[in-house]
Amino acid sequence: MAQIEVRNIFKIFGDKPQSVLARAQNGENKDDILADTGHTVGLSDVSLDIEEGEIFVVMGLSGSGKSTLIRHFNRLIDPTAGHITVEGTDVMTLGTDQLIKFRRDKMSMVFQRFGLLPHRTVMQNVGYGLEIQGVEKAKREEKAREWIDQVGLAGYEDSFPSQLSGGMQQRVGLARALCTDPEILLMDEAFSALDPLIRSDMQDLLLALQTKLHKTVVFITHDLDEALRIGDRIAILKDGALSQVGTPADILLSPADDYVRAFVKDVNRARALNVDVIMRPPALRLTDETIEEAMAQMRKAGEEYGYVTYDNEYRGVVTLEAMEELNGDGKIKWAREIADLTHSVHPDEPIEGAVPAALTVDYPIPVVCDEGELVGIVSNEDMVSVLDQPDADSGEELRH
Ligand SMILES: Nc1ncnc2c1ncn2[C@@H]1O[C@H](COP(=O)(O)OP(=O)(O)O)[C@@H](O)[C@H]1O
Ligand SMILES: [Mg+2]
């Protein structure tokens, strides 16, 4: 069971939403329905699963239904048809008291315009959710201080929002949302009002916090670069309907329709995709071989190079040529003694980062994780096949 399950949601805005539901369910166009009936189709047959601990991005142009969708999750909006369950509970079944508790404990929201209380200090703003929960002052100040620290605002506890820059105010917004330790964080264009550099800092902060917190984050943006940067998965909305749900690699490499294709057309894939998308298992892995054994294995496998690991740790590349040059020199016994450790990349590094190494050597570049283990290799051919972008011919007008 996914943490949030959305099933066949329709949301129609207007006086008599039920009266036009059938037309929307028959797949009639949003513009036609509006022209005929004065009703706006906010969401049309949206179904998706959001898994615990993922950053799930909802992306689409202005008016595509992003805010309408996440307002269903904490029932700020009721659907015209369909179901939303959060951890197995259909949110429509919650009574008033349950709903208040559900909103207070389960989810927090971070808004584009920060939504801070102007006459309260940073400390009071961050501790606000705990205050509502009735947590005593000393306890909530302790918690608030921790979160103020985590978002890099130590020293600003007694400042007022108006004394802070936009980026700092949004750090307060984030700290406030996290202070009640909610399982789900809803972020509606939370970074969209910030200048590009500040915005990029906030993305870094969110990603850094997420490596420790593993919250379920539902993040709305109209910016594809932001979506690709922070999303584990991305849902793309168009006129209230889902065009595609997938990983950044799915979206970039297999766009589902012309709308998505237009969005991804100009993305620099070398920067947006990480090495792990294109890596494959090493052709020849050597572990504890002498020079002679390594040469024999390479000749047998028809490989010019091998990747040496020892004690579960990557030790470098050996080439057949280098070993042949030793010419039976008895001083060097083990293949790992002549392995070259110079070139390797990290699986979470953008493909771009592997290019310099790929230009330097003529073997596929080893991919080594934080623990020092060899997890794969990337070849020039694999890089080229992903980076070669066929020219899409539509949709320039969709870019901002
Ligand atoms: N309260 C409302 N009353 C009428 N129409 C609305 C209301 N809220 C949203 N809409 C319409 O629903 C569609 C989706 O809006 P919204 O979810 O705000 O889009 P987004 O967040 O992607 O910009 C738009 O056409 C918008 O005009
Ligand atoms: Mg919106």
Side-chain angles (χ1 to χ4, degrees):
M1 182 185 67
Q3 190 165 31
I4 301 175
E5 294 182 354
V6 176
R7 291 293 175 270
N8 309 103
I9 291 277
F10 286 82
K11 178 63 189 180
I12 292 158
F13 294 104
D15 295 339
K16 293 189 178 129
Q18 291 297 339
S19 70
V20 293
L21 178 60
R23 296 182 64 164
Q25 284 174 330
N26 284 333
E28 253 186 77
N29 175 298
K30 173 173 170 163
D31 292 337
D32 294 345
I33 292 178
L34 180 63
D36 275 5
T37 70
H39 286 68
T40 301
V41 179
L43 290 174
S44 179
D45 203 14
V46 172
S47 296
L48 47 83
D49 286 336
I50 298 177
E51 304 293 339
E52 191 174 342
E54 72 174 331
I55 301 186
F56 189 91
V57 173
V58 181
M59 205 212 58
L61 301 179
S62 175
S64 59
K66 306 182 295 294
S67 296
T68 303
L69 176 61
I70 66 164
R71 285 182 193 142
H72 279 87
F73 297 168
N74 53 0
R75 239 190 102 190
L76 293 172
I77 291 183
D78 289 349
T80 307
H83 294 276
I84 302 102
T85 54
V86 176
E87 293 173 356
T89 302
D90 184 335
V91 298
M92 292 306 288
T93 64
L94 297 172
T96 313
D97 290 348
Q98 288 170 306
L99 187 58
I100 289 171
K101 193 167 153 38
F102 173 81
R103 287 193 189 132
R104 200 182 60 191
D105 300 344
K106 204 48 96 204
M107 301 189 193
S108 285
M109 202 137 181
V110 185
F111 304 93
Q112 178 170 5
R113 289 281 158 208
F114 321 139
L116 304 178
L117 298 162
H119 301 299
R120 288 173 163 248
T121 63
V122 167
M123 174 69 89
Q124 290 165 337
N125 268 287
V126 173
Y128 185 70
L130 293 177
E131 191 180 332
I132 298 287
Q133 290 180 358
V135 176
E136 56 147 302
K137 189 162 181 233
K139 184 79 199 152
R140 67 177 191 253
E141 291 202 340
E142 183 195 323
K143 271 274 154 222
R145 201 176 297 280
E146 248 171 59
W147 284 108
I148 290 169
D149 224 38
Q150 291 271 341
V151 301
L153 285 182
Y156 291 91
E157 290 81 358
D158 299 324
S159 301
F160 288 92
S162 62
Q163 297 171 307
L164 305 177
S165 69
M168 289 161 86
Q169 289 186 53
Q170 195 57 303
R171 284 170 191 259
V172 178
L174 192 56
R176 177 184 55 187
L178 290 167
C179 197
T180 54
D181 197 24
E183 284 153 51
I184 301 167
L185 213 55
L186 303 177
M187 303 181 70
D188 192 350
E189 306 253 8
F191 302 156
S192 298
L194 304 172
D195 293 334
L197 288 178
I198 307 291
R199 184 170 182 166
S200 164
D201 283 348
M202 291 301 289
Q203 292 165 355
D204 289 342
L205 175 64
L206 179 67
L207 291 172
L209 287 171
Q210 178 67 354
T211 61
K212 293 185 270 185
L213 301 176
H214 310 291
K215 300 279 180 200
T216 305
V217 181
V218 185
F219 189 101
I220 287 188
T221 182
H222 61 261
D223 184 274
L224 180 65
D225 292 321
E226 183 164 77
L228 293 169
R229 174 132 192 255
I230 71 163
D232 293 315
R233 289 192 305 143
I234 301 168
I236 299 188
L237 275 177
K238 175 181 189 264
D239 295 339
L242 273 181
S243 280
Q244 187 168 8
V245 182
T247 62
D250 294 336
I251 302 280
L252 281 183
L253 300 178
S254 324
D257 58 24
D258 286 345
Y259 181 70
V260 181
R261 210 165 290 122
F263 261 119
V264 304
K265 176 172 161 303
D266 299 324
V267 170
N268 179 343
R269 292 185 185 172
R271 207 165 285 168
L273 292 174
N274 291 344
V275 163
D276 60 357
V277 170
I278 54 165
M279 73 183 182
R280 59 174 76 217
L284 179 63
R285 193 188 275 266
L286 300 167
T287 48
D288 199 10
E289 283 80 358
T290 62
I291 299 281
E292 285 72 27
E293 287 163 349
M295 286 168 71
Q297 279 199 28
M298 286 163 87
R299 288 189 181 119
K300 187 160 167 238
E303 293 290 344
E304 297 288 315
Y305 39 77
Y307 299 83
V308 182
T309 62
Y310 190 66
D311 278 348
N312 287 328
E313 216 177 44
Y314 174 63
R315 295 298 176 97
V317 175
V318 287
T319 63
L320 191 55
E321 190 185 358
M323 289 192 286
E324 279 167 346
E325 271 173 25
L326 288 176
N327 207 6
D329 176 346
K331 286 196 276 268
I332 299 173
K333 181 176 177 198
W334 302 102
R336 61 178 181 273
E337 292 178 79
I338 62 156
D340 178 6
L341 254 177
T342 320
H343 304 285
S344 70
V345 290
H346 193 276
D348 296 336
E349 181 173 346
I351 291 171
E352 191 176 58
V355 171
L359 293 173
T360 314
V361 292
D362 51 14
Y363 49 80
I365 306 303
V367 183
V368 180
C369 68
D370 285 335
E371 290 72 38
E373 246 176 82
L374 177 68
V375 291
I377 59 174
V378 285
S379 70
N380 283 359
E381 294 74 37
D382 290 335
M383 279 198 245
V384 168
S385 73
V386 159
L387 301 184
D388 184 25
Q389 294 176 275
D391 260 349
D393 52 2
S394 59
E396 190 53 39
E397 70 278 6
L398 290 177
R399 303 290 299 179
H400 297 276

